[in-house]
Amino acid sequence: ARWQIGLLYRPLNSQLPLPLPVNQDMVELQKQDHWERMQEEYSTLDLFPEGHIMASLRPRLGKNLATSRDIANMKHGGIITIAGLVIRRQRPLGKVVYITLEDEFGHIPLMVFPQVYAENELKLRSPFLAVKGTLSRREGTCNIIVRQARAFSALEKAPASRDWG
């Protein structure tokens, strides 16, 4: 049904816009820096489309920190210190705990044996880890055998890892 206001026809239950000025209420917001934008994206999406958090963290973590790319050039038995975001924790039927870190270049497989796990259990639950260990190459696989672990904080709300008992 339609009703008439002068020559204007409008559908029933429709509302005319009220022309109120709003420009005076607009607030100039401070532009977010790279770190703030990244934190916001991780808190809402669990990822940062413009890059990886480790690319921003690496300069703050020290010079002797290797990347997942560096592992390809290392030999079996080499000592390595590496850091990343924990994306997976697994404890299959054996006693070894497998953790996968992610940095800006790829994935880093870690093996944590029971004694080291017991000494570092709380640290190993952190979303971000820096570990020192030995590179192991066996039967076509590559893992870092963790000797020491250090947890560090990077985001207020870090993406959750996928954990399997």
Side-chain angles (χ1 to χ4, degrees):
R2 293 178 176 244
W3 51 282
Q4 183 176 10
I5 298 178
L7 298 174
L8 178 65
Y9 288 94
R10 293 185 357 177
L12 193 59
N13 295 330
S14 68
Q15 185 174 352
L16 290 174
L18 185 57
L20 291 176
V22 292
N23 289 340
Q24 76 280 358
D25 297 327
M26 296 302 218
V27 177
E28 181 97 16
L29 297 177
Q30 208 174 22
K31 190 172 181 174
Q32 288 183 319
D33 65 17
H34 177 78
W35 187 261
E36 290 169 328
R37 212 170 51 253
M38 181 175 58
Q39 281 191 307
E40 199 63 36
E41 294 287 342
Y42 270 111
S43 72
T44 55
L45 300 173
D46 280 350
L47 60 93
F48 183 53
E50 293 179 36
H52 197 278
I53 187 169
M54 286 305 297
S56 298
L57 289 174
R58 189 165 301 284
R60 301 176 186 191
L61 295 174
K63 297 177 183 178
N64 298 328
L65 203 60
T67 69
S68 58
R69 282 184 180 168
D70 299 328
I71 293 173
N73 301 322
M74 293 185 66
K75 294 181 181 175
H76 175 78
I79 304 298
I80 185 170
T81 302
I82 200 151
L85 170 66
V86 176
I87 60 169
R88 185 180 308 119
R89 290 181 187 88
Q90 292 177 287
R91 183 178 270 187
L93 300 176
K95 294 182 180 184
V96 176
V97 174
Y98 295 91
I99 298 175
T100 303
L101 297 183
E102 180 183 76
D103 69 7
E104 64 271 42
F105 305 113
H107 293 169
I108 306 150
L110 309 177
M111 292 176 68
V112 187
F113 286 95
Q115 181 180 350
V116 174
Y117 186 81
E119 294 168 1
N120 296 280
E121 185 173 0
L122 290 177
K123 295 174 192 172
L124 293 170
R125 291 182 184 180
S126 171
F128 293 94
L129 289 176
V131 299
K132 183 174 186 175
T134 308
L135 187 68
S136 170
R137 293 187 183 281
R138 299 180 114 188
E139 301 173 10
T141 65
C142 177
N143 289 287
I144 295 173
I145 311 300
V146 176
R147 304 285 179 226
Q148 298 172 351
R150 179 175 59 94
F152 61 93
S153 178
L155 294 173
E156 292 174 17
K157 180 187 175 281
S161 65
R162 308 298 183 243
D163 297 346
W164 293 277

